[in-house]
Amino acid sequence: MSEQKESSVLFSLKELMNLEEDRIKQEEDAKAAAAAAAERARLDDERRKREEEEARIRAEDERRALEERKAREEAARLEAIRQAEVEKARVEAEQRARLEAMNAQQQHERKLAELQHDESKKKLRKTLYGVVAAVVVIGGVTTGIIINQSQKAEQERQALADQARQAEEDRKKAEQQAKEQQQKIDSLLGQLTSAKDEATRLALQKQLDEEKAKQDAAKKGGGGGPRPAGGGGAAKPCNCAPGDPLCSCL
């Protein structure tokens, strides 16, 4: 009987030890599972953060590349505008030079014509003086008429000279204004090329358009040099008798 009780106690102790071992094992398994889960969570979190950082870097690279491309395109556009304006200014300068050469040629021809006209007037005056001397005995009336016509011709010559001088002054003034206008346009073009922000570029472009409009208006209103009265048609033939002091062809 005593041995049976002792055996029963040993069995109970063994069962308790087995149960304790099972509990310890289960706790260790639970700890290991928790540790594994925590490690997986840590690895997943690190992977997520790494992927987010890589995505952020890619987005930043793409944004920077887009900004650089836009900057290059804007620089190319501004350079194209500048080149076009420079070419336009060159063509306009060549046109102005041709017009100035034509005006200079016309001025030269007018001066030659005036010299020839003055020479003919000198001859006419000599003739008139001879006529005056010859007709003094005929009467002072004829002499007065001849002298009056001579004075009138001199006044007309002086008026033509004044008109030519005024035309030359107007031409020089127009050239100076055109030069200053072009310098202002060139300055605005340089500022537009080096402008950094869109607001400044828009303001400069507006000023540039206004200056160009002024330049175009000045060109349209400036004309191409003096023109003969009457629309530039063919001159009527002169039917005056040679040496006639009353002739309007002089």
Side-chain angles (χ1 to χ4, degrees):
M1 189 69 180
S2 175
E3 291 178 355
Q4 186 177 2
K5 287 182 179 180
E6 185 175 336
S7 176
S8 177
V9 170
L10 289 174
F11 177 80
S12 297
L13 289 173
K14 188 176 181 180
E15 286 294 327
L16 290 173
M17 290 177 64
N18 289 335
L19 291 173
E20 183 63 20
E21 288 175 357
D22 290 341
R23 186 186 64 77
I24 292 172
K25 184 179 179 182
Q26 288 176 357
E27 288 179 354
E28 290 176 351
D29 291 343
K31 289 179 180 180
E39 181 65 15
R40 285 195 301 273
R42 184 183 66 80
L43 292 175
D44 290 342
D45 185 66
E46 289 179 354
R47 178 180 55 77
R48 180 182 57 78
K49 290 180 179 179
R50 186 170 58 253
E51 290 175 351
E52 289 177 352
E53 181 64 16
E54 290 174 353
R56 186 189 65 79
I57 292 174
R58 283 196 302 273
E60 181 64 21
D61 291 341
E62 291 174 355
R63 182 190 63 79
R64 188 164 49 250
L66 180 61
E67 289 180 351
E68 291 175 355
R69 180 173 61 82
K70 288 183 177 180
R72 288 194 299 270
E73 291 175 351
E74 181 65 14
R77 186 182 71 84
L78 292 176
E79 179 63 18
I81 292 175
R82 190 185 70 81
Q83 290 293 341
E85 293 296 337
V86 168
E87 180 63 18
K88 181 180 178 182
R90 183 188 65 80
V91 172
E92 291 176 350
E94 291 178 354
Q95 291 177 348
R96 285 197 301 272
R98 285 195 295 269
L99 289 174
E100 290 171 0
M102 292 174 60
N103 288 335
Q105 181 65 24
Q106 291 175 355
Q107 291 286 344
H108 180 66
E109 292 174 355
R110 281 197 299 272
K111 288 179 180 178
L112 288 177
E114 289 174 1
L115 289 174
Q116 294 175 355
H117 194 53
D118 290 342
E119 189 65 26
S120 65
K121 286 181 180 179
K122 290 178 181 178
K123 293 179 180 180
L124 175 62
R125 279 197 292 271
K126 291 179 180 179
T127 303
L128 291 176
Y129 294 152
V131 172
V132 170
V135 300
V136 166
V137 295
I138 298 175
V141 176
T142 304
T143 302
I145 293 174
I146 294 173
I147 293 175
N148 182 52
Q149 292 299 324
S150 177
Q151 291 176 348
K152 185 176 181 182
E154 180 65 22
Q155 291 174 356
E156 290 176 355
R157 187 196 66 79
Q158 185 63 40
L160 288 173
D162 293 339
Q163 290 177 3
R165 183 169 57 255
Q166 183 62 41
E168 180 67 15
E169 291 176 357
D170 292 343
R171 184 185 66 80
K172 290 181 178 179
K173 182 177 179 182
E175 288 178 353
Q176 181 62 28
Q177 291 176 348
K179 182 178 179 182
E180 293 174 356
Q181 192 75 34
Q182 187 61 44
Q183 289 176 349
K184 188 178 295 184
I185 290 175
D186 293 341
S187 175
L188 288 173
L189 281 172
Q191 296 178 39
L192 180 63
T193 303
S194 59
K196 301 298 183 182
D197 58 283
E198 187 65 22
T200 303
R201 285 196 292 270
L202 290 174
L204 290 171
Q205 186 64 50
K206 182 179 179 182
Q207 294 180 27
L208 182 60
D209 293 340
E210 292 175 353
E211 294 301 329
K212 287 180 182 178
K214 291 178 182 178
Q215 187 183 57
D216 293 339
K219 289 178 181 178
K220 292 178 181 179
R227 300 178 181 175
K236 295 182 179 179
C238 183
N239 297 322
C240 297
D244 184 3
L246 300 178
C247 180
S248 61
C249 299
L250 296 177

